[in-house]
Amino acid sequence: MATAVDIAPDDSERASDFAAVDTDAPVGKLAAQIAHRIEAAVMRRGWPVGESLGSEVDLREGFGVSRAVLREAVRLVEHHQVARMRRGPNGGLFVCAPDAGPATRAIVIYLEYVGTSVTDLLQARLLLEPIAAGLAADRISEEGIDTLRAHLDYELANQDDPEVQSQDPLHPVLGKLSGNPVLHLFIDVLTRLTARYANTSRRLSKVEVLTAKNASREAHRAIVDAVIDGDGARAQTELTAHLESVAAWIEKHQVRRGPRIAGNVIEPELVEGPRAKLAEVVAARIHDDIAARGWQVGMVLGSEADLLARYQISRAVLREAVRLLEYHSIAWMRRGPGGGLIVAEPEPQASVDTMALFLEYQGVTAEDMRIVRNAIELGIVAQVAARRVEGDGEVAERLATAVRWPTDGPADDPRKADLFHSELAELAGNPVLSLFLAILTELFRRHAAANDETLPGDKAAEEVEHVHQRILDAILQGDAGIARHRMRRHLDALAPWWH
């Protein structure tokens, strides 16, 4: 099988793999560009696990960059679990099979920082999880039945284990049985984050604990029975009622500790497994230290010497850990006198990139995308329409600007048509939904680029502006039904661009 460096220089695939790199960019930005090109090449080739993309020398020559820049790019690619560099004879950069760990960690980092509330989480779960239950019922198999019944048995056998009870693991199982990898991953993240709130609850009496356990098991059994019966509507109804009771329980028992999720943000089992690098473990621990201190942006955590002593690691490991922290905008290293590791303000793009790559590897289909994006965006439209009815003037002002952006925005802005959707999400006020929508948008863009699809762009700007204006008109009139109808038709029109 041909690799990126085996293809002749005039081959169009090689040209697309190595083109569009700004060699005059700063080292960090240049490395990120190259990492993106490597990842796009892997997607274009159908994610061929085990295939070599070339040796370090070959890749340096192909991209025309220094060893330092290439190694920085490789670190990012390895962190995303897209490929791993193998040293020695017959070595090179080899495509690998990713797992959900880095994707989950990346999204939790950002949502923890921005102050996600239990209301945000349950709102997102109510949009997505009933859909998963309905899909699971539609496609249930003998194997799926065995899985669900084994899960109920596991719950009963571990009824005295508070960790098992708080994790509520039935929900990710239903996400998996839905057959939709986007639903599965998003539900897994939401369940993990909800468990953090459950674990910050006040001390409960034995009667309260027993009552909660019995109610949860009864709800789970009703959901499982409906799924096994193939009754999607009943499964959705039972799951919705269960989530509403979970929300009420957390609201009643939660200890008030400020706006952010309490506890360690990164679970040890996600970073300390056999595949994890020591640098990733150290980066996770530094992150948890930052979160525990209340995320004080600008605070100096310590000099390089201080950190080496605190975490008992080598300089090489610390510097690689710092690179990962810098990539996620968690912290950055200031050199020279008075320098040290400085707490930064996280940005969502690292989370978005990591999640989009993982979902691409999972083989997401147009229908998978349509189902999840429709649920999220239609929920967002309803919330924004409600804000408008309440007299919020910001809705009209911000959305009017976003409507005009496809024609008014810079000619070289590849995301002009997305501004209307992202502004809707921001106005809805739910950071979970905003981030999930950004992930889906990035997944769509990366998939199109990897498959050499040219999105409509400027030629469709006027049509896009017209559609967005009609959605906005319905919102301004307070007609959520019409606004949702028009948004649904608009989103359905995007499906043919996914191949």
Side-chain angles (χ1 to χ4, degrees):
M1 181 180 293
T3 67
V5 296
D6 291 331
I7 301 171
D10 59 347
D11 187 281
S12 61
E13 185 174 4
R14 176 187 170 97
S16 62
D17 286 350
F18 292 138
V21 175
D22 179 9
T23 54
D24 293 328
V27 171
K29 185 176 180 180
L30 179 54
Q33 288 181 39
I34 293 171
H36 187 90
R37 300 302 302 179
I38 292 171
E39 291 161 358
V42 170
M43 287 188 287
R44 187 180 301 114
R45 295 165 185 275
W47 214 297
V49 174
E51 181 177 303
S52 173
L53 300 174
S55 68
E56 182 180 272
V57 172
D58 293 328
L59 292 168
R60 282 174 51 203
E61 291 177 352
F63 288 111
V65 294
S66 67
R67 175 179 295 168
V69 170
L70 180 67
R71 289 187 173 180
E72 180 78 4
V74 167
R75 286 187 183 95
L76 296 178
V77 172
E78 288 181 329
H79 184 59
H80 290 158
Q81 294 190 340
V82 174
R84 288 281 181 187
M85 182 63 78
R86 186 185 304 164
R87 307 294 176 186
N90 301 317
L93 189 62
F94 288 84
V95 179
C96 62
D99 60 42
T104 302
R105 292 199 300 276
I107 197 169
V108 171
I109 286 170
Y110 180 71
L111 291 176
E112 185 275 339
Y113 171 73
V114 297
T116 303
S117 70
V118 68
T119 301
D120 297 330
L121 295 173
L122 269 299
Q123 189 179 74
R125 293 182 68 175
L126 282 165
L127 287 176
L128 299 178
E129 291 194 38
I131 296 172
L135 290 173
D138 290 343
R139 64 193 303 274
I140 193 66
S141 64
E142 293 280 354
E143 183 180 0
I145 291 172
D146 290 342
T147 298
L148 289 172
R149 287 180 171 163
H151 173 79
L152 292 179
D153 291 341
Y154 174 77
E155 270 194 353
L156 183 60
N158 292 274
Q159 60 182 325
D160 295 326
D161 187 334
E163 185 175 348
V164 171
Q165 298 302 317
S166 68
Q167 290 293 337
D168 216 358
L170 173 66
H171 299 265
V173 170
L174 290 172
K176 184 175 183 179
L177 291 177
S178 75
N180 186 318
V182 186
L183 279 175
H184 182 203
L185 188 56
F186 285 1
I187 289 170
D188 183 51
V189 169
L190 290 169
T191 305
R192 289 177 184 275
L193 287 169
T194 307
R196 298 183 190 286
Y197 281 104
N199 287 330
T200 62
S201 300
R202 64 175 175 81
R203 187 178 296 277
L204 305 176
S205 69
K206 291 183 178 179
V207 172
E208 287 176 310
V209 171
L210 182 61
T211 301
K213 287 179 180 178
N214 289 338
S216 180
R217 282 202 304 274
E218 288 176 8
H220 285 183
R221 185 166 295 281
I223 295 165
V224 167
D225 287 345
V227 172
I228 291 174
D229 287 346
D231 190 337
R234 180 157 59 95
Q236 290 182 323
T237 300
E238 295 285 359
L239 184 51
T240 298
H242 174 48
L243 288 176
E244 289 173 345
S245 69
V246 169
W249 188 93
I250 293 176
E251 179 63 26
K252 178 180 179 181
H253 297 287
Q254 180 191 354
V255 175
R256 304 299 176 182
R257 294 184 179 177
R260 293 196 175 98
I261 300 168
N264 290 337
V265 176
I266 299 179
E267 295 87 341
E269 68 270 17
L270 290 182
V271 296
E272 296 183 358
R275 298 179 62 185
K277 283 189 169 184
L278 179 56
E280 292 172 322
V281 175
V282 173
R285 288 174 177 164
I286 294 174
H287 167 267
D288 286 349
D289 287 346
I290 292 172
R293 299 182 187 205
W295 214 297
Q296 302 173 50
V297 174
M299 182 182 74
V300 180
L301 294 173
S303 66
E304 185 175 79
D306 294 333
L307 297 170
L308 290 173
R310 185 182 308 165
Y311 296 102
Q312 294 293 297
I313 52 176
S314 69
R315 180 173 279 105
V317 169
L318 176 63
R319 289 184 174 179
E320 184 169 352
V322 168
R323 290 187 186 97
L324 296 175
L325 294 168
E326 290 177 338
Y327 178 70
H328 284 288
S329 298
I330 295 171
W332 60 280
M333 185 63 79
R334 182 168 62 199
R335 307 295 177 184
L341 191 62
I342 314 296
V343 177
E345 181 175 355
E347 297 177 356
Q349 195 57 46
S351 306
V352 169
D353 288 341
T354 310
M355 291 287 269
L357 281 165
F358 178 75
L359 289 171
E360 176 69 26
Y361 171 75
Q362 292 288 302
V364 173
T365 67
E367 182 64 5
D368 294 333
M369 281 276 292
R370 185 193 67 79
I371 288 171
V372 181
R373 185 165 184 176
N374 278 14
I376 291 173
E377 295 228 41
L378 297 181
I380 285 170
V381 165
Q383 292 169 34
V384 175
R387 278 189 61 176
R388 176 59 182 174
V389 169
E390 293 169 359
D392 193 328
E394 185 183 17
V395 170
E397 182 180 350
R398 288 179 60 176
L399 290 181
T401 300
V403 164
R404 296 191 298 270
W405 199 247
T407 52
D408 291 355
D412 59 349
D413 182 357
R415 307 186 183 197
K416 288 194 294 184
D418 300 328
L419 182 63
F420 180 75
H421 299 268
S422 60
E423 285 287 82
L424 275 171
E426 289 293 324
L427 287 166
N430 186 322
V432 181
L433 296 181
S434 293
L435 188 59
F436 282 0
L437 180 59
I439 290 163
L440 294 176
T441 303
E442 181 65 21
L443 174 61
F444 190 89
R445 187 179 295 111
R446 281 178 176 260
H447 182 87
N451 289 278
D452 297 321
E453 290 288 342
T454 303
L455 295 176
D458 289 341
K459 66 182 181 182
E462 292 185 5
E463 181 181 350
V464 169
E465 185 173 321
H466 173 71
V467 173
H468 288 174
Q469 183 63 56
R470 284 178 53 78
I471 296 169
L472 175 56
D473 289 344
I475 290 173
L476 297 181
Q477 292 164 11
D479 196 331
I482 291 295
R484 285 163 55 89
H485 168 76
R486 290 172 180 172
M487 177 61 82
R488 185 184 294 108
R489 288 176 60 88
H490 175 44
L491 295 174
D492 288 347
L494 296 175
W497 293 95
W498 184 282
H499 297 289

